[in-house]
């Protein structure tokens, strides 16, 4: 399942977000999915979700545009390119959708809530996968 | 016609009780003498007691008595102000004037009910530090805490209900002050309730920015001590 479908499932389960918050959620979900697992695995994985909001908020001060934010997050988490075409297109859309200020404001002020939605989506997917096994 | 000061409204609601002149003193303290004058708190002319009999030596907020300069004989207080200032337990426990009756609120459920029924002529006082006077500064139709008067209307009643709902779902007082639900608590509750929590959580944001409201709500939703 790609990140776009994962986020769509979230909107069904927990209600849709406004445009800026939706883009913020997508960006966080893609950053999470493409993180360097060698760096953020192992013992670091234990504190990963506690540290994620702090890293996201810090990246908001990298510059005035979402490109600055994404660059900082990519460096912090060692993000690679998204694996599916849909995710790549969604990432390009989210970064180039205009009104960067509104999305950065969401990333800065509603960080914990958005991270929680992403985490819930991943937990729900893992539960589904375990059920299928 | 003169508008009554809230302290006088509360005093009448309480049945015009006599002030507690004894306080924490170990020896018997007689009722102090009165003289004609103007009350420094309410501005009501009539029999007043000199300020030195009413205020503690540690009291520093005399500049808050808005009529303190009217009486040429010096700072003095009428019976309602004396009662309000010298009411020690009102500094320590919640009290409510609801539907014209003033009484101590002894249980969290009682405080919840008082906050739910708070009308424009009612008052609820909720001490925080237990060190400060609340009754003299109380305002009608509002909740008085240590340092501020909290406006209270239908929106606050709704938010109190939201607070109580989240609390029954397992979120504690500290967790409710955070910007998002705590993960360990969220994962313990049923999936249907998770959606409910995520929907309700942002509703309390105005209270998270004004923490005194959270203090009052926390106090009104605690479990009864057994």
């Amino acid at each position: 399942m790609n990140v776009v479908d994962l986020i769509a499932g979230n909107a069904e389960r927990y209600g849709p977000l406004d445009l800026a918050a939706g883009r913020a959620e997508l960006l966080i979900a893609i950053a999470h999915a493409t993180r360097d697992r060698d760096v953020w695995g192992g013992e670091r994985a234990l504190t990963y979700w506690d540290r994620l909001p702090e890293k996201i908020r810090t990246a908001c001060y990298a510059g005035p545009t979402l490109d600055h934010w994404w660059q900082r997050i990519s460096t912090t988490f060692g993000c690679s390119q998204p694996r599916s075409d849909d995710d790549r297109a969604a990432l390009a859309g989210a970064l180039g959708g205009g009104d960067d200020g509104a999305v950065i404001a969401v990333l800065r002020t509603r960080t914990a809530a958005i991270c929680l939605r992403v985490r819930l989506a991943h937990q729900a997917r893992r539960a589904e996968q375990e059920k299928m096994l | 016609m003169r508008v009554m000061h809230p302290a006088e409204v509360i005093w009448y609601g309480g049945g015009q009780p006599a002030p507690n002149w004894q306080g924490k003193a170990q020896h018997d303290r007689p009722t102090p003498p009165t003289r004609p004058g103007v009350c420094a708190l309410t501005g009501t002319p009539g029999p007043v007691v000199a300020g030195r009999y009413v205020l503690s030596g540690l009291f520093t907020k005399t500049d808050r008595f808005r009529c303190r300069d009217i009486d040429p004989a010096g700072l003095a207080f009428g019976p309602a102000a004396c009662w309000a200032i010298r009411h020690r337990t009102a500094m320590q426990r919640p009290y409510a004037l609801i539907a014209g009756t003033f009484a101590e609120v002894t249980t969290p459920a009682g405080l919840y009910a008082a906050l739910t029924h708070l009308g424009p002529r009612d008052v609820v006082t909720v001490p925080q530090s237990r060190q400060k006077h609340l009754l003299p500064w109380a305002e009608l139709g509002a909740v008085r805490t240590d340092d501020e008067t909290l406006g209270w209307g239908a929106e606050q009643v709704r938010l109190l209900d939201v607070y109580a709902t989240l609390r029954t779902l397992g979120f504690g007082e500290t967790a409710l002050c955070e910007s998002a639900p705590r993960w360990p608590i969220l994962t313990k509750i049923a999936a249907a309730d998770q959606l409910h929590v995520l929907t309700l959580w942002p509703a309390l944001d105005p209270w998270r920015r004004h923490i005194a409201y959270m203090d009052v709500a926390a106090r009104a939703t605690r479990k009864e001590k057994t």
Side-chain angles (χ1 to χ4, degrees):
Chain A
M1 185 190 280
N2 58 31
V3 177
V4 175
D5 295 337
L6 192 76
I7 295 303
N10 237 10
E12 281 170 27
R13 259 192 302 273
Y14 305 115
L17 292 168
D18 58 77
L19 201 63
R23 278 168 69 191
E25 187 184 32
L26 183 71
L27 286 170
I28 293 174
I30 292 177
H32 168 73
T34 60
R35 73 192 185 282
D36 187 341
R37 283 156 205 268
D38 290 338
V39 177
W40 288 94
E43 279 189 10
R44 264 189 164 184
L46 296 173
T47 56
Y48 170 76
W49 285 107
D50 294 332
R51 293 165 73 179
L52 180 65
E54 179 195 321
K55 303 283 183 200
I56 288 165
R57 208 173 291 125
T58 308
C60 293
Y61 297 93
T65 67
L66 270 179
D67 272 338
H68 289 103
W69 182 86
W70 180 253
Q71 231 163 23
R72 175 66 64 86
I73 277 291
S74 299
T75 313
T76 309
F77 289 109
C79 295
S80 54
Q81 286 286 314
R83 277 175 236 164
S84 74
D85 286 343
D86 285 349
D87 286 355
R88 278 193 288 274
L91 176 62
L95 288 176
D99 200 8
D100 289 2
V103 182
I104 289 176
V106 171
L107 288 167
R108 200 180 63 239
T109 56
R110 292 163 63 185
T111 328
I114 305 277
C115 285
L116 206 56
R117 282 175 67 106
V118 173
R119 191 175 180 181
L120 283 168
H122 278 278
Q123 197 200 32
R125 186 176 66 172
R126 198 179 307 135
E128 276 171 27
Q129 283 171 343
E130 279 169 11
K131 213 182 281 176
M132 286 166 73
L133 288 174
Chain B
M1 188 184 146
R2 203 179 67 82
V3 177
M4 274 205 289
H5 189 274
E8 291 176 304
V9 176
I10 300 169
W11 185 58
Y12 281 112
Q16 304 174 51
N20 169 21
W21 295 115
Q22 185 61 34
K24 287 195 291 185
Q26 298 292 314
H27 58 278
D28 281 344
R29 287 188 64 177
T31 303
T34 58
R35 63 169 170 81
V38 179
C39 177
L41 175 69
T42 63
T44 309
V48 291
V49 175
R52 65 194 171 91
Y53 295 109
V54 183
L55 301 174
S56 144
L58 302 171
F59 191 85
T60 56
K61 298 274 185 183
T62 44
D63 56 333
R64 287 180 68 184
F65 296 118
R66 62 192 173 117
C67 304
R68 65 188 180 281
D69 296 326
I70 296 177
D71 194 334
L75 197 71
F77 298 94
C82 288
W83 170 78
I85 293 168
R86 296 197 61 85
H87 200 308
R88 282 196 56 77
T89 53
M91 295 168 70
Q92 295 157 348
R93 299 174 213 148
Y95 273 79
L97 172 75
I98 300 289
T101 309
F102 181 75
E104 183 186 338
V105 182
T106 50
T107 61
L111 182 58
Y112 189 93
L115 290 170
T116 312
H117 295 104
L118 186 72
R121 297 286 298 167
D122 302 329
V123 172
V124 172
T125 61
V126 184
Q128 292 165 311
S129 69
R130 301 158 59 96
Q131 304 287 325
K132 299 199 177 186
H133 293 282
L134 273 69
L135 285 180
W137 322 119
E139 287 176 29
L140 299 180
V143 176
R144 180 70 200 181
T145 57
D146 272 7
D147 296 310
E148 53 189 326
T149 302
L150 307 174
W152 201 268
E155 176 62 8
Q156 278 67 35
V157 173
R158 185 184 74 82
L159 293 183
L160 181 65
D161 185 47
V162 169
Y163 189 99
T165 307
L166 288 173
R167 203 148 178 192
T168 52
L169 288 170
F171 293 94
E173 292 171 18
T174 314
L176 280 168
C177 292
E178 291 166 3
S179 59
R182 283 188 185 174
W183 180 256
I185 305 172
L186 193 63
T187 44
K188 270 184 204 155
I189 59 183
D193 287 337
Q194 283 182 353
L195 170 60
H196 198 43
V197 168
L198 289 176
T199 317
L200 290 179
W201 202 268
L204 288 178
D205 282 345
W207 280 13
R208 291 191 185 102
R209 290 191 291 271
H210 197 159
I211 208 71
Y213 278 105
M214 296 298 269
D215 283 347
V216 171
R219 192 140 189 185
T221 50
R222 282 180 191 152
K223 279 182 189 162
E224 306 256 347
K225 285 180 185 166
T226 50

